[in-house]
Amino acid sequence: MTFNALPTARDVVDFWREAGPDRWFAKNDAFDAEFAARFSHAHQAAARGELDHWTSDAEGALALLVLFDQFPRNTWRGSPHMLATDGKALAVAKQAVESGFDLQCEPVLRRFFYLPFMHSEVLAEQERSVELNAALDANTQRYAVLHRDIIARFGRFPHRNRMMGRSTTAEEQKYLDEGGFAG
């Protein structure tokens, strides 16, 4: 891959697979910088719709989900931009699950087809997340239920309020102050 050349879907998936669970969900500035350096052009191209053809198979769909859902969360932590492609991620996830692409991927990577549902502030999408994640490990399912319960209670994720410029209700602040889920 040359400088500024777009990676293939396989490049994205291989990088993500090799990163593994220890780096997927941990805050790690070095990993985030490497992720950004290697895939920022691909994220931008995907956001412009230039990689929409990747939705035609499981590997391509997974690569788009990593670029739309995980890349922004690692690259722009704590900024509204980290949520900017959530709608695209959810659309790809819905299409991929409907096509059965999630079931064509190894179980450890399957969760990335379901995370866009878990990241949504729409209760119906949260219910779908719980349903889909039920087939995965207990810890993943625990997080799906936790996210669903927050949306059922508040209609949104209170930990996003400051970042999104939203007012926090007294009940939400109490929840956060008492150690409620903070992202």
Side-chain angles (χ1 to χ4, degrees):
M1 186 167 73
T2 61
F3 182 71
N4 287 347
L6 288 178
T8 65
R10 169 146 306 157
D11 293 333
V12 175
V13 172
D14 285 350
F15 171 83
W16 199 245
R17 180 185 292 111
E18 289 167 18
D22 289 341
R23 293 196 287 174
W24 289 340
F25 304 113
K27 185 172 192 257
N28 179 319
D29 292 337
F31 175 70
D32 293 351
E34 178 185 3
F35 196 10
R38 290 186 62 179
F39 297 105
S40 62
H41 287 90
H43 168 77
Q44 306 260 341
R48 290 189 302 266
E50 295 170 15
L51 302 178
D52 286 355
H53 61 283
W54 285 9
T55 62
S56 64
D57 62 52
E59 183 176 69
L62 177 58
L64 283 174
L65 291 167
V66 169
L67 291 174
F68 286 146
D69 191 69
Q70 297 303 298
F71 179 88
R73 283 173 166 75
N74 286 70
T75 304
W76 298 292
R77 288 180 195 275
S79 127
H81 194 75
M82 72 181 248
L83 308 175
T85 52
D86 277 8
K88 288 182 174 288
L90 187 58
V92 170
K94 286 178 178 181
Q95 180 184 347
V97 168
E98 185 176 308
S99 298
F101 292 162
D102 55 322
L103 301 177
Q104 294 176 29
C105 284
E106 59 205 82
V108 72
L109 293 173
R110 196 170 298 157
R111 72 184 75 200
F112 296 102
F113 286 90
Y114 308 153
L115 278 172
F117 296 94
M118 194 185 301
H119 291 150
S120 174
E121 290 188 325
V122 175
L123 185 56
E125 307 302 357
Q126 289 293 329
E127 295 291 353
R128 185 78 171 125
S129 168
V130 169
E131 177 186 320
L132 291 166
N133 280 293
L136 299 180
D137 62 275
N139 193 50
T140 301
Q141 178 64 355
R142 180 176 66 85
Y143 277 103
V145 170
L146 172 67
H147 281 72
R148 190 261 332 263
D149 290 351
I150 294 168
I151 296 302
R153 180 175 173 186
F154 299 111
R156 61 190 186 174
F157 292 114
H159 69 275
R160 292 183 183 173
N161 288 347
R162 181 184 309 266
M163 175 180 67
M164 299 300 294
R166 304 187 298 209
S167 297
T168 299
T169 68
E171 183 183 3
E172 289 172 333
Q173 191 59 57
K174 182 176 188 257
Y175 168 79
L176 292 170
D177 290 346
E178 292 174 353
F181 183 75

